[in-house]
Short mmCIF file of all heavy atoms in Angstrom, two decimals:
data_model
loop_
_atom_site.label_atom_id
_atom_site.label_comp_id
_atom_site.label_asym_id
_atom_site.label_seq_id
_atom_site.Cartn_x
_atom_site.Cartn_y
_atom_site.Cartn_z
N LEU A 40 244.44 109.59 28.06
CA LEU A 40 244.23 110.63 27.04
C LEU A 40 244.99 111.82 27.52
O LEU A 40 244.90 112.32 28.62
CB LEU A 40 242.81 110.93 26.79
CG LEU A 40 241.99 109.92 26.22
CD1 LEU A 40 240.49 110.51 25.99
CD2 LEU A 40 242.48 109.40 24.91
N GLY A 41 245.96 112.42 26.59
CA GLY A 41 246.70 113.67 26.93
C GLY A 41 246.73 114.62 25.92
O GLY A 41 246.39 114.38 24.68
N GLY A 42 246.94 115.77 26.29
CA GLY A 42 247.08 116.95 25.37
C GLY A 42 247.33 118.21 26.16
O GLY A 42 247.30 118.16 27.37
N GLY A 44 246.93 122.91 26.09
CA GLY A 44 246.25 123.92 25.33
C GLY A 44 244.87 123.54 24.79
O GLY A 44 244.15 122.87 25.61
N HIS A 45 244.57 123.93 23.67
CA HIS A 45 243.23 123.53 23.10
C HIS A 45 243.05 122.14 22.85
O HIS A 45 241.97 121.49 22.76
CB HIS A 45 242.85 124.41 21.88
CG HIS A 45 242.34 125.76 22.14
ND1 HIS A 45 243.32 126.90 22.30
CD2 HIS A 45 241.19 126.26 22.59
CE1 HIS A 45 242.62 127.91 22.61
NE2 HIS A 45 241.36 127.63 22.87
N SER A 46 244.14 121.30 22.87
CA SER A 46 244.00 119.80 22.66
C SER A 46 243.54 119.21 23.88
O SER A 46 243.06 118.06 23.76
CB SER A 46 245.42 119.31 22.30
OG SER A 46 245.71 119.69 21.01
N LEU A 47 243.38 119.89 25.04
CA LEU A 47 242.73 119.41 26.16
C LEU A 47 241.25 119.14 25.97
O LEU A 47 240.62 118.44 26.61
CB LEU A 47 242.95 120.40 27.34
CG LEU A 47 244.22 120.31 28.09
CD1 LEU A 47 244.42 121.57 29.04
CD2 LEU A 47 244.38 118.99 28.79
N ALA A 48 240.74 119.95 24.94
CA ALA A 48 239.22 119.73 24.59
C ALA A 48 239.06 118.20 24.25
O ALA A 48 237.97 117.72 24.58
CB ALA A 48 238.90 120.60 23.42
N MET A 49 240.04 117.63 23.59
CA MET A 49 239.89 116.09 23.34
C MET A 49 240.05 115.29 24.45
O MET A 49 239.40 114.20 24.51
CB MET A 49 240.93 115.74 22.14
CG MET A 49 240.57 116.29 20.80
SD MET A 49 238.84 115.86 20.31
CE MET A 49 238.96 114.12 20.42
N VAL A 50 240.79 115.62 25.51
CA VAL A 50 240.79 114.90 26.68
C VAL A 50 239.45 114.96 27.35
O VAL A 50 238.95 113.94 27.87
CB VAL A 50 241.86 115.43 27.72
CG1 VAL A 50 241.94 114.74 28.92
CG2 VAL A 50 243.29 115.42 26.92
N LEU A 51 238.83 116.06 27.38
CA LEU A 51 237.45 116.30 28.04
C LEU A 51 236.48 115.44 27.16
O LEU A 51 235.53 114.83 27.61
CB LEU A 51 237.07 117.76 28.10
CG LEU A 51 235.71 118.08 28.79
CD1 LEU A 51 235.70 117.45 30.14
CD2 LEU A 51 235.49 119.44 28.66
N GLU A 52 236.59 115.52 25.80
CA GLU A 52 235.74 114.85 24.87
C GLU A 52 235.70 113.31 25.13
O GLU A 52 234.75 112.66 25.02
CB GLU A 52 236.10 115.08 23.47
CG GLU A 52 235.20 114.34 22.33
CD GLU A 52 233.81 114.78 22.34
OE1 GLU A 52 233.51 115.89 22.82
OE2 GLU A 52 233.02 113.93 21.83
N GLY A 53 236.97 112.82 25.45
CA GLY A 53 237.05 111.39 25.70
C GLY A 53 236.75 110.83 27.11
O GLY A 53 236.76 109.73 27.33
N PHE A 54 236.58 111.79 27.99
CA PHE A 54 236.43 111.39 29.47
C PHE A 54 234.97 111.61 29.86
O PHE A 54 234.56 112.64 29.72
CB PHE A 54 237.48 112.22 30.30
CG PHE A 54 237.34 112.01 31.77
CD1 PHE A 54 237.69 110.68 32.35
CD2 PHE A 54 236.91 112.94 32.61
CE1 PHE A 54 237.41 110.47 33.69
CE2 PHE A 54 236.74 112.70 34.00
CZ PHE A 54 236.93 111.45 34.53
N PHE A 108 246.85 114.11 21.85
CA PHE A 108 246.39 115.00 20.93
C PHE A 108 247.14 116.20 20.90
O PHE A 108 247.45 116.87 21.96
CB PHE A 108 244.83 115.36 21.22
CG PHE A 108 243.96 114.11 21.14
CD1 PHE A 108 243.66 113.39 22.25
CD2 PHE A 108 243.32 113.75 19.92
CE1 PHE A 108 242.86 112.29 22.09
CE2 PHE A 108 242.47 112.78 19.83
CZ PHE A 108 242.24 111.93 21.01
N VAL A 134 247.57 111.90 17.69
CA VAL A 134 246.61 112.42 16.77
C VAL A 134 247.10 113.78 16.59
O VAL A 134 247.09 114.68 17.33
CB VAL A 134 245.18 112.44 17.27
CG1 VAL A 134 244.27 113.02 16.28
CG2 VAL A 134 244.86 111.07 17.70
N SER A 181 241.45 121.69 13.55
CA SER A 181 242.08 120.61 14.23
C SER A 181 241.03 119.90 15.26
O SER A 181 240.94 118.68 15.40
CB SER A 181 243.18 121.10 15.06
OG SER A 181 242.88 122.18 16.03
N SER A 182 240.21 120.68 16.04
CA SER A 182 239.37 120.15 17.01
C SER A 182 238.22 119.20 16.31
O SER A 182 237.91 118.13 16.72
CB SER A 182 238.65 121.15 17.81
OG SER A 182 239.71 121.89 18.59
N LEU A 183 237.65 119.78 15.17
CA LEU A 183 236.71 119.08 14.39
C LEU A 183 237.29 117.78 13.83
O LEU A 183 236.56 116.81 13.92
CB LEU A 183 236.20 120.04 13.25
CG LEU A 183 235.11 119.39 12.29
CD1 LEU A 183 233.83 119.18 13.14
CD2 LEU A 183 235.00 120.30 11.13
N SER A 184 238.43 117.84 13.37
CA SER A 184 239.07 116.65 12.83
C SER A 184 239.38 115.63 13.85
O SER A 184 239.11 114.34 13.66
CB SER A 184 240.39 117.05 12.09
OG SER A 184 240.18 118.03 11.05
N CYS A 185 239.80 116.08 15.01
CA CYS A 185 240.19 115.01 16.06
C CYS A 185 238.85 114.39 16.55
O CYS A 185 238.80 113.17 16.79
CB CYS A 185 240.82 115.77 17.24
SG CYS A 185 242.54 116.24 16.91
N VAL A 186 237.73 115.13 16.73
CA VAL A 186 236.57 114.57 17.23
C VAL A 186 236.01 113.64 16.19
O VAL A 186 235.47 112.53 16.52
CB VAL A 186 235.47 115.61 17.48
CG1 VAL A 186 234.09 115.01 17.69
CG2 VAL A 186 235.86 116.47 18.67
N TYR A 187 236.18 113.83 14.89
CA TYR A 187 235.60 113.06 13.74
C TYR A 187 236.49 111.71 13.93
O TYR A 187 235.81 110.58 13.81
CB TYR A 187 235.80 113.74 12.52
CG TYR A 187 235.31 112.90 11.29
CD1 TYR A 187 233.91 112.59 11.30
CD2 TYR A 187 236.08 112.56 10.22
CE1 TYR A 187 233.36 111.93 10.09
CE2 TYR A 187 235.56 111.74 9.22
CZ TYR A 187 234.26 111.40 9.19
OH TYR A 187 233.68 110.75 8.14
N LEU A 188 237.83 111.79 13.99
CA LEU A 188 238.59 110.59 13.98
C LEU A 188 238.25 109.77 15.29
O LEU A 188 238.26 108.50 15.21
CB LEU A 188 240.06 110.90 13.97
CG LEU A 188 240.56 111.43 12.62
CD1 LEU A 188 242.02 111.98 12.82
CD2 LEU A 188 240.55 110.33 11.61
N TRP A 189 238.12 110.38 16.40
CA TRP A 189 237.85 109.67 17.59
C TRP A 189 236.38 109.00 17.52
O TRP A 189 236.29 107.84 17.96
CB TRP A 189 237.69 110.72 18.75
CG TRP A 189 237.36 110.14 20.19
CD1 TRP A 189 236.21 110.50 20.80
CD2 TRP A 189 237.92 109.14 20.92
NE1 TRP A 189 236.17 109.86 21.95
CE2 TRP A 189 237.14 109.00 22.09
CE3 TRP A 189 239.10 108.43 20.73
CZ2 TRP A 189 237.48 108.11 23.01
CZ3 TRP A 189 239.40 107.50 21.65
CH2 TRP A 189 238.63 107.29 22.82
N ASN A 190 235.45 109.60 16.89
CA ASN A 190 234.09 108.93 16.69
C ASN A 190 234.23 107.90 15.81
O ASN A 190 233.42 106.81 15.84
CB ASN A 190 233.08 110.02 16.37
CG ASN A 190 232.64 110.87 17.61
OD1 ASN A 190 232.50 110.32 18.59
ND2 ASN A 190 232.41 112.04 17.40
#
Side-chain angles (χ1 to χ4, degrees):
L40 295 183
H45 280 93
S46 292
L47 282 169
M49 284 306 303
V50 177
L51 185 59
E52 176 67 21
F54 176 66
F108 297 87
V134 186
S181 61
S182 299
L183 179 67
S184 300
C185 286
V186 169
Y187 185 62
L188 290 170
W189 175 242
N190 281 322

